[in-house]
Amino acid sequence: KDDTLRMDQILELQELKVNPFRERICKVFSESGNGEMTFEDFLDMMSVFSEGATRDVKASYAFRLYDFDGDGYLDKADLIRTIECLCGKEELTQNEMQTV
């Protein structure tokens, strides 16, 4: 019996379909880190995105979303990956990326 949701199933949710961070969201909330979620992982994700979640909880998960390498810091590489998620990898030249 498979008791996890595959990432491709989660990405079909209407709330995530157009989110540029959809895959990153799945990985951050997945206990295994591979994007697959247990029911508990899924509930945690929905709880954080609910209006009832505290600002501190939301900020903590937002930080984790942008901390792509998981080192506890937001550095230049994390910011570049964030911009790539928002704009697409091919949309900005290397020079434009450095300027940002």
Side-chain angles (χ1 to χ4, degrees):
K1 179 184 169 190
D2 189 10
D3 59 349
T4 61
L5 290 168
R6 295 184 325 269
M7 186 163 59
D8 65 312
Q9 293 172 308
I10 299 163
L11 295 177
E12 288 299 312
L13 292 172
Q14 197 64 33
E15 295 80 3
L16 291 178
K17 270 188 173 180
V18 296
N19 190 314
F21 294 96
R22 61 190 167 275
E23 290 183 12
R24 182 72 183 143
I25 289 169
C26 288
K27 290 177 181 177
V28 165
F29 284 95
S30 168
E31 188 175 335
S32 65
N34 66 1
E36 293 184 353
M37 290 188 199
T38 65
F39 184 64
E40 188 174 313
D41 294 337
F42 184 78
L43 288 179
D44 287 345
M45 177 182 72
M46 298 311 267
S47 174
V48 169
F49 288 125
S50 75
E51 290 181 25
T54 66
R55 186 177 298 175
D56 288 345
V57 167
K58 288 179 182 287
S60 172
Y61 277 95
F63 181 87
R64 289 177 57 196
L65 282 174
Y66 299 125
D67 183 18
F68 285 88
D69 57 13
D71 67 354
Y73 297 94
L74 296 181
D75 58 17
K76 184 177 180 178
D78 293 319
L79 296 177
I80 288 172
R81 293 209 40 204
T82 298
I83 293 166
E84 288 174 347
C85 281
L86 292 170
C87 299
K89 285 186 177 186
E90 277 75 50
E91 296 300 318
L92 296 176
T93 67
Q94 198 66 356
N95 190 34
E96 289 171 326
M97 189 68 78
Q98 294 301 319
T99 301
V100 173

